[in-house]
Amino acid sequence: MKAAVLPWTRDLLLNRTILWLLFIVNALGTVYGYIWYGSQMEYTVETQSAWQVIFVPDSPTASLFFTLSLLFLLFPRLVKPSLAGIVFRSLIEALGVVTSIKYGIWAVTMIMAGGAQGDHLQWEHYMLMVSHLGMAIEAMLFVRYMVFGRFMAFIALVWLLVNDTVDYTFFVFPWLPDVLENDLNAIQSFTMGLSVFSLLVTWLLIAFRKVKV
């Protein structure tokens, strides 16, 4: 069964039309995400230390890393086959996968948690749930065709934990619905736990990786 499914999956996911479509969708989503976080980024620069703004737009930055990863699949020779080139590509891919899994799941969970506690969900919330769920799914699908290994995935976890620490130390985490303000401690624990979970999922996917680009 695997021998029949994997070639079909590979042909579909690595089809250049599909890759270009995903690249365009992710690129547009990245731009939209930074616009979405625009107000919070401006507020952070005006009221807190400017360096903290780097840690505000979590999902768009994850999407940016994954968009670059798709570019590597479209143009395998974009990065020179040197040690520095391989390290750079592996780091970007690891960040793209681990952060996309984490923030894809996180955003959907926060929206659903807010809705469960009485936050009025509008069409934008459902659009965000679909798009963020797509982030997590596509990241897991493409691990098979990327070059990064477990160590780079661990480095991505380190970045996530640094991000989490800054978010909840300086309160630059994504703005939450008012109904979730009393759950901040639980959200912090969930967020950091989800970072580790995302690494474990990535490691598991790497362990079952059969096809290398």
Side-chain angles (χ1 to χ4, degrees), residues 2 35 74 108 151 165 179 189:
K2 288 184 178 180
I35 294 173
L74 280 164
V108 173
F151 177 73
T165 301
V179 295
S189 298

Side-chain angles (χ1 to χ4, degrees), residues 2 62 75 88 90 114 118 129 160 171 181 200 202 205:
K2 288 184 178 180
F75 303 100
F88 175 73
S90 297
M129 283 195 288
L160 282 177
F171 300 99
E181 288 184 357
L200 296 178
T202 303
L205 292 169

Side-chain angles (χ1 to χ4, degrees), residues 60-146:
T61 302
S63 179
L64 175 62
F65 288 137
F66 192 79
T67 301
L68 293 175
S69 300
L70 291 173
L71 199 61
F72 296 144
L73 292 176
L74 280 164
F75 303 100
R77 297 183 181 180
L78 185 63
V79 176
K80 294 182 179 180
S82 62
L83 177 60
I86 294 173
V87 169
F88 175 73
R89 174 176 175 175
S90 297
L91 178 60
I92 295 298
E93 288 182 346
L95 287 167
V97 169
V98 180
T99 61
S100 291
I101 294 174
K102 187 260 182 77
Y103 292 119
I105 297 174
W106 187 91
V108 173
T109 304
M110 290 302 106
I111 293 172
M112 293 179 65
Q117 295 195 38
D119 187 39
H120 179 63
L121 300 186
Q122 301 177 349
W123 71 268
E124 293 97 335
H125 292 98
Y126 295 102
M127 178 271 292
L128 289 172
M129 283 195 288
V130 171
S131 62
H132 282 80
L133 185 60
M135 281 176 59
I137 292 174
E138 67 179 1
M140 290 187 285
L141 286 175
F142 276 94
V143 171
R144 180 179 300 276
Y145 309 111
M146 294 180 177

Side-chain angles (χ1 to χ4, degrees), residues 4-202:
V5 173
L6 289 180
W8 176 85
T9 305
R10 189 180 196 282
D11 291 342
L12 175 65
L13 294 179
L14 296 185
N15 179 279
R16 292 190 66 81
T17 301
I18 297 297
L19 286 174
W20 273 116
L21 179 61
L22 289 174
F23 175 81
I24 293 170
V25 169
N26 278 273
L28 292 176
T30 299
V31 173
Y32 176 80
Y34 282 114
I35 294 173
W36 177 275
Y37 276 94
S39 297
Q40 185 175 357
M41 293 171 70
E42 291 178 4
Y43 176 82
T44 301
V45 171
E46 292 172 358
T47 62
Q48 299 181 222
S49 298
W51 64 268
Q52 295 170 12
V53 74
I54 300 172
F55 300 94
V56 172
D58 296 332
S59 293
T61 302
S63 179
L64 175 62
F65 288 137
F66 192 79
T67 301
L68 293 175
S69 300
L70 291 173
L71 199 61
F72 296 144
L73 292 176
L74 280 164
F75 303 100
R77 297 183 181 180
L78 185 63
V79 176
K80 294 182 179 180
S82 62
L83 177 60
I86 294 173
V87 169
F88 175 73
R89 174 176 175 175
S90 297
L91 178 60
I92 295 298
E93 288 182 346
L95 287 167
V97 169
V98 180
T99 61
S100 291
I101 294 174
K102 187 260 182 77
Y103 292 119
I105 297 174
W106 187 91
V108 173
T109 304
M110 290 302 106
I111 293 172
M112 293 179 65
Q117 295 195 38
D119 187 39
H120 179 63
L121 300 186
Q122 301 177 349
W123 71 268
E124 293 97 335
H125 292 98
Y126 295 102
M127 178 271 292
L128 289 172
M129 283 195 288
V130 171
S131 62
H132 282 80
L133 185 60
M135 281 176 59
I137 292 174
E138 67 179 1
M140 290 187 285
L141 286 175
F142 276 94
V143 171
R144 180 179 300 276
Y145 309 111
M146 294 180 177
V147 303
F148 75 93
R150 291 185 177 184
F151 177 73
M152 281 303 180
F154 177 77
I155 296 300
L157 170 66
V158 173
W159 162 255
L160 282 177
L161 292 178
V162 169
N163 196 344
D164 294 341
T165 301
V166 173
D167 276 357
Y168 294 94
T169 299
F170 299 99
F171 300 99
V172 292
F173 50 82
W175 284 340
L176 297 166
D178 292 340
V179 295
L180 295 181
E181 288 184 357
N182 294 331
D183 302 315
L184 190 57
N185 289 334
I187 291 173
Q188 179 180 357
S189 298
F190 170 75
T191 300
M192 301 190 81
L194 187 57
S195 293
V196 177
F197 173 79
S198 299
L199 171 70
L200 296 178
V201 170
T202 303

